Amino acid sequence: MTSELIGFALLFGTAVGLAVLTGRYLSRVFRNEPSVLDGLAPVERLLFRLIGVDPTQPMPWAQYLGAVAVTSVVWVVLAVTLLMTQTQIPVWNQGGISPMDWTLALNTAISFLTSTNLQHYSGESGATYFSQLFVLTFLQFMSAATSLTVGVALVRSLRAESGASPGNFYGDLVRSLTRVLLPLSLLVAIGLVFAGVPMTFAPYDTIQTLQGDLVSVARGPVAAMLPIKHLGSNGGGFFGTNTAHPFENPGMATYCLHLITVFLLPMAFVCFVGYYLNRRKLGVIIFTLMTGCWLLLTIPIMQQEWAGNPAISALGIDQSAGSLEGKEMRFGTLASAFWCGVNVVIPAGALTSMHDSYTSLSGVFMLLGMQIDAFYGGVGTGFMYLFLYIIIAIFIGSLMIGRTPELLGKKVGQTEIQLAVGVIVAQPLIYLGLTAVAVLIVSRAPDGGVALGWLGNRTAGPNGYHGFTTMLYEYVSSVAGNGSGFESLGDNTPFWNLTTALAMLLGRFIPIVGTLLIGAQLYQKPFIPSSSGTLPTESYTFGALLFIVIVIIGALCFFPALAIGPIAEFLTQPR
Amino acid sequence: MKTNLIPAIRLTVVMLILTSVIYPLVVAGIAKLAPGGGKGVTVEAKGRVVGYALIGQKFTDDRYFNSRPSAVEYNAAGSAGSNKGPSNPDYLKMVQARIDTFLVHNPTVKKADIPAELVTASGSGLDPDLSPAAAKIQIARIAKVRSLPTERLTQLVDANTNGPLLGLFGPSTVNVLKLNVALDQLR
């Protein structure tokens, strides 16, 4: 066990080291300073000519938000069309794939557009190779590039000089792809194919096993999809069981590679903030806070899983290797739980083990991590959430000591605070509201909703508390853009497809629009050098205040729901 | 809206070609140089392909080292875990039934020694591995069925055990398919 813990520390250290380098590189790229991949400039010029935009032309805020909206609509229309007709497209079609109805196609398109990747279909039976590449991989690239781009736009608006434009959306989007996401993906994909991850267009294979059974084995162009799935905080895997599938994750070498790519850009973005604004200390404080909170959530999950499932211990067998239901032997309990802790705070939400089978208290920490979504958080979007908490903390802190609320030399006014509070409160309203609707249907409908064909195999009977957690988890995961789930939810029904699609859209675009509006407000304000009347935001005291604000808001919003979900399940489980 | 629509459509077409045609074809080209040529690494025995090294198989025969329970019965056309929650009564009944079955097939094993992995299903339903302990606890049964000395089987398991990566990452594992192929080759 000790050697495994040393391994995790090394893995984390490697990720931090690479993230610092990547953060500095991002700062150079988005400042248009010379950087390693300048050789790509002619290719980019060609791309911009084909697209027909001038990347140096700054866009006003309204046009910028318009570009985010229009590209999103174009991508959803394209994705829904391709998914609904996938069985008729003869190219890269391995056969035997079921068509998607419109609710599933819409849910899938929105879930990949919003970087959530809830995946109500199962990759092996629900998507052709063509769909995997032209819809799912494509949208993972685009949503990641959009997250990075809008994150950069927010950070630009925090610069000392004032102005009227966050840059050119298309310019930053294309550079996010050519300078960051595509080169890194190619590098990681090469590592993966040599570690045994398939990359083939050949159809599924049929083999006769050693014991004599005939078995069909799903495969496909897997290695191209996985790097962007993790780099972009997406999490949409090729196969139904995601990163737990041995073809997605053959062993500990690929586990380490995958985990570093999950960590890399969310961490690097925080470093980017420090480098780009030339406020290293702010970057360090935010990074420390995020790391501390992530550990506070991950360590209990590892501890709970290592202690094992008490209900299994009660059956009298050996659980010294931890709770192994839903986990893979090549990772074991600790590495599975560690991965879980990383992937609930970073909304890649990829799975190397099935969260539904985790011990009940682990669910508390998973839900908290997803709910706050800012302990690293997603590429670009994680910093957006933290930024909202920073605005609220500045407001509260300034009130407490009687100073004017200021952030990095810009006065924080009424509009900014209203927007920040609005977005932070909107999140729990969406997932708690939708959970309440689902619970109402389950409790009122005969058969717990099964008769309506809405709620799948959901049972409100003997497994009631866990059933509640399952529904809550689905909505929290949707709003947070995480995309992991308790898979016992029979989630491919019109009810779940449509309500989670709504949750994902609101959960993605309310924060993006809200924070960019705050950015637009701040950007227009004059820079005031800090004085003794300023609440110093670049201090560990402010970091502590920020932590307290997050804990208070999180606890107020969420504790009642946790109490009737995982905590009640823990208190009533068989011992 | 109008100012953005045309660039958005042109961007989409250009990026589809880049991310969904050029990039995957480059990766597929490189994969041809990798072990298995990007099609997955297979294992051969008895002069034929008996499976993929990474994809677990159902072994329920007493003559073989048995693999873990699977929610999809090792049907690799799909993948799934059991996903029933930790304290679901139906789930606990199923685990109890697996314990009883295991004890019938392995009468010399004490219940408290059964490693949990042998009665719990994996995440993917295609777990190719066991821990060395879960392999060794089956040795007495296999030795009896195959009339082999237990020492040779212990050596076989040890020879097929892969330690943690660099001694630091992950647990020790035994690939069940490779172990059983080697078992068939024992004379």
Side-chain angles (χ1 to χ4, degrees):
Chain A
M1 182 180 176
T2 322
S3 63
E4 272 199 271
L5 294 181
I6 296 169
F8 296 135
L10 271 178
L11 197 55
F12 177 77
T14 311
V16 174
L18 291 171
V20 172
L21 294 176
T22 312
R24 195 158 55 193
Y25 170 71
L26 289 179
S27 170
R28 287 178 173 277
V29 167
F30 291 106
R31 273 180 172 161
N32 278 318
E33 288 172 3
S35 64
V36 203
L37 293 179
D38 278 344
L40 290 174
V43 180
E44 287 167 350
R45 275 199 294 278
L46 174 70
L47 292 177
F48 285 123
R49 217 172 31 240
L50 291 172
I51 298 166
V53 294
D54 175 5
T56 57
Q57 190 73 40
M59 285 175 159
W61 284 95
Q63 195 192 345
Y64 193 95
L65 285 173
V68 177
V70 172
T71 46
S72 298
V73 171
V74 169
W75 294 335
V76 167
V77 171
L78 172 82
V80 171
T81 313
L82 291 181
L83 288 176
M84 287 183 72
T85 55
Q86 63 169 347
T87 47
Q88 279 122 52
I89 299 170
V91 191
W92 287 346
N93 187 339
Q94 71 272 45
I97 297 300
S98 32
M100 285 197 190
D101 76 80
W102 72 272
T103 62
L104 180 59
L106 184 69
N107 182 284
T108 305
I110 288 177
S111 96
F112 277 79
L113 171 80
T114 57
S115 217
T116 313
N117 307 217
L118 212 47
Q119 300 190 287
H120 285 180
Y121 66 95
S122 202
E124 294 94 330
S125 56
T128 61
Y129 293 164
F130 183 85
S131 293
Q132 297 270 21
L133 292 173
F134 266 71
V135 179
L136 309 177
T137 305
F138 170 72
L139 282 182
Q140 300 206 55
F141 271 111
M142 292 303 131
S143 62
T146 306
S147 302
L148 188 55
T149 302
V150 293
V152 169
L154 174 68
V155 177
R156 280 215 180 103
S157 70
L158 300 177
R159 277 178 308 190
E161 68 266 33
S162 53
S165 165
N168 185 296
F169 176 74
Y170 299 108
D172 285 342
L173 189 81
V174 170
R175 288 163 66 82
S176 298
L177 288 161
T178 54
R179 298 292 176 116
V180 185
L181 298 172
L182 271 167
L184 279 174
S185 293
L186 187 60
L187 214 58
V188 175
I190 292 170
L192 291 179
V193 293
F194 283 95
V197 176
M199 183 66 204
T200 175
F201 296 99
Y204 298 168
D205 196 9
T206 302
I207 48 146
Q208 191 181 10
T209 67
L210 192 61
Q211 206 181 254
D213 310 317
L214 276 179
V215 171
S216 164
V217 178
R219 50 185 179 174
V222 187
M225 188 171 181
L226 303 188
I228 189 60
K229 159 192 170 191
H230 296 128
L231 283 168
S233 310
N234 289 302
F238 194 92
F239 298 108
T241 47
N242 211 281
T243 328
H245 195 289
F247 269 163
E248 285 203 19
N249 203 355
M252 278 311 283
T254 51
Y255 171 99
C256 294
L257 183 59
H258 285 317
L259 197 74
I260 286 173
T261 52
V262 170
F263 266 137
L264 184 68
L265 290 177
M267 277 182 172
F269 198 84
V270 180
C271 306
F272 161 75
V273 172
Y275 283 117
Y276 189 87
L277 296 175
N278 216 357
R279 303 231 182 209
R280 307 268 169 95
K281 193 172 173 198
L282 183 71
V284 172
I285 291 169
I286 293 178
F287 199 91
T288 312
L289 173 80
M290 288 176 161
T291 305
C293 291
W294 161 65
L295 285 173
L296 282 178
L297 294 169
T298 302
I299 292 171
I301 297 178
M302 293 173 75
Q303 187 269 331
Q304 284 295 315
E305 294 309 301
W306 188 247
N309 179 355
I312 297 288
S313 301
L315 299 178
I317 56 166
D318 174 19
Q319 230 187 154
S320 60
S323 168
L324 284 164
E325 180 69 44
K327 298 194 180 70
E328 302 281 302
M329 292 320 294
R330 60 195 181 282
F331 311 128
T333 302
L334 284 178
S336 299
F338 185 77
W339 175 283
C340 166
V342 174
N343 277 274
V344 290
V345 298
I346 296 176
L351 304 171
T352 54
S353 53
M354 297 298 120
H355 291 182
D356 207 341
S357 296
Y358 271 50
T359 56
S360 39
L361 278 189
S362 295
V364 173
F365 301 98
M366 294 183 215
L367 285 163
L368 280 174
M370 290 195 297
Q371 179 221 359
I372 297 165
D373 211 15
F375 304 145
Y376 308 123
V379 181
T381 55
F383 177 72
M384 284 190 152
Y385 283 111
L386 197 78
F387 173 74
L388 296 168
Y389 285 107
I390 289 177
I391 299 269
I392 295 172
I394 284 177
F395 178 61
I396 292 173
S398 306
L399 279 185
M400 280 177 7
I401 55 170
R403 298 189 185 177
T404 34
E406 278 170 25
L407 172 63
L408 307 178
K410 305 282 179 94
K411 265 210 175 61
V412 178
Q414 196 187 350
T415 322
E416 292 88 286
I417 291 161
Q418 283 171 341
L419 280 167
V421 173
V423 176
I424 290 286
V425 173
Q427 303 282 317
L429 274 183
I430 301 163
Y431 54 70
L432 293 177
L434 286 169
T435 309
V437 171
V439 167
L440 197 69
I441 292 171
V442 168
S443 61
R444 289 295 163 85
D447 267 4
V450 177
L452 294 173
W454 276 10
L455 296 155
N457 58 5
R458 195 89 310 284
T459 52
N463 206 18
Y465 300 123
H466 191 78
F468 175 80
T469 313
T470 306
M471 296 190 280
L472 178 68
Y473 194 107
E474 185 78 357
Y475 286 123
V476 174
S477 171
S478 303
V479 170
N482 186 287
S484 62
F486 277 17
E487 296 303 328
S488 60
L489 188 74
D491 52 16
N492 181 17
T493 62
F495 175 79
W496 287 108
N497 285 341
L498 296 177
T499 55
T500 53
L502 178 71
M504 288 187 285
L505 276 181
L506 297 174
R508 166 93 165 173
F509 290 104
I510 289 178
I512 287 184
V513 173
T515 43
L516 287 185
L517 287 179
I518 295 174
Q521 290 282 333
L522 291 178
Y523 200 14
Q524 285 153 11
K525 295 190 178 182
F527 178 78
I528 318 157
S530 63
S531 66
S532 59
T534 314
L535 173 77
T537 42
E538 283 168 273
S539 69
Y540 283 95
T541 320
F542 181 74
L545 175 71
L546 185 56
F547 174 71
I548 293 166
V549 166
I550 293 174
V551 169
I552 292 173
I553 294 178
L556 283 177
C557 290
F558 214 49
F559 201 76
L562 288 179
I564 50 175
I567 295 176
E569 187 187 1
F570 169 73
L571 293 174
T572 56
Q573 72 192 353
R575 276 157 224 275
Chain B
M1 180 77 193
K2 235 183 353 201
T3 43
N4 278 321
L5 189 59
I6 302 299
I9 291 172
R10 288 170 72 168
L11 171 88
T12 304
V13 173
V14 170
M15 285 306 157
L16 270 175
I17 295 169
L18 201 57
T19 64
S20 307
V21 181
I22 298 176
Y23 159 72
L25 287 179
V26 170
V27 179
I30 294 168
K32 296 240 187 296
L33 310 172
K39 295 186 170 184
V41 178
T42 51
V43 175
E44 286 180 31
K46 307 174 182 171
R48 64 177 174 92
V49 171
V50 291
Y52 286 83
L54 289 172
I55 302 293
Q57 304 186 350
K58 186 156 97 178
F59 284 106
T60 43
D61 197 322
D62 276 349
R63 295 170 46 80
Y64 286 117
F65 287 95
N66 291 358
S67 40
R68 298 182 67 186
S70 156
V72 292
E73 295 297 325
Y74 288 97
N75 177 1
S79 59
S82 66
N83 296 319
K84 284 200 181 348
S87 46
N88 182 315
D90 295 342
Y91 162 66
L92 294 174
K93 259 182 237 151
M94 193 160 68
V95 176
Q96 183 61 54
R98 288 178 188 146
I99 295 173
D100 297 341
T101 310
F102 187 84
L103 287 173
V104 169
H105 286 263
N106 301 272
T108 57
V109 173
K110 282 202 294 289
K111 187 162 112 176
D113 295 333
I114 302 175
E117 68 198 78
L118 284 176
V119 292
T120 54
S122 63
S124 63
L126 306 172
D127 195 338
D129 299 308
L130 285 177
S131 68
K136 282 180 179 165
I137 204 156
Q138 304 185 39
I139 284 179
R141 180 194 77 226
I142 294 166
K144 190 154 171 260
V145 176
R146 295 199 177 227
S147 312
L148 284 167
T150 53
E151 301 79 53
R152 285 196 67 191
L153 290 172
T154 310
Q155 283 165 9
L156 186 77
V157 172
D158 287 338
N160 279 279
T161 298
N162 301 304
L165 177 68
L166 309 177
L168 289 174
F169 302 101
S172 294
T173 55
V174 184
N175 183 302
V176 186
L177 176 58
K178 288 182 184 167
L179 178 66
N180 281 329
V181 168
L183 177 64
D184 271 348
Q185 286 162 354
L186 277 190
R187 293 280 166 246

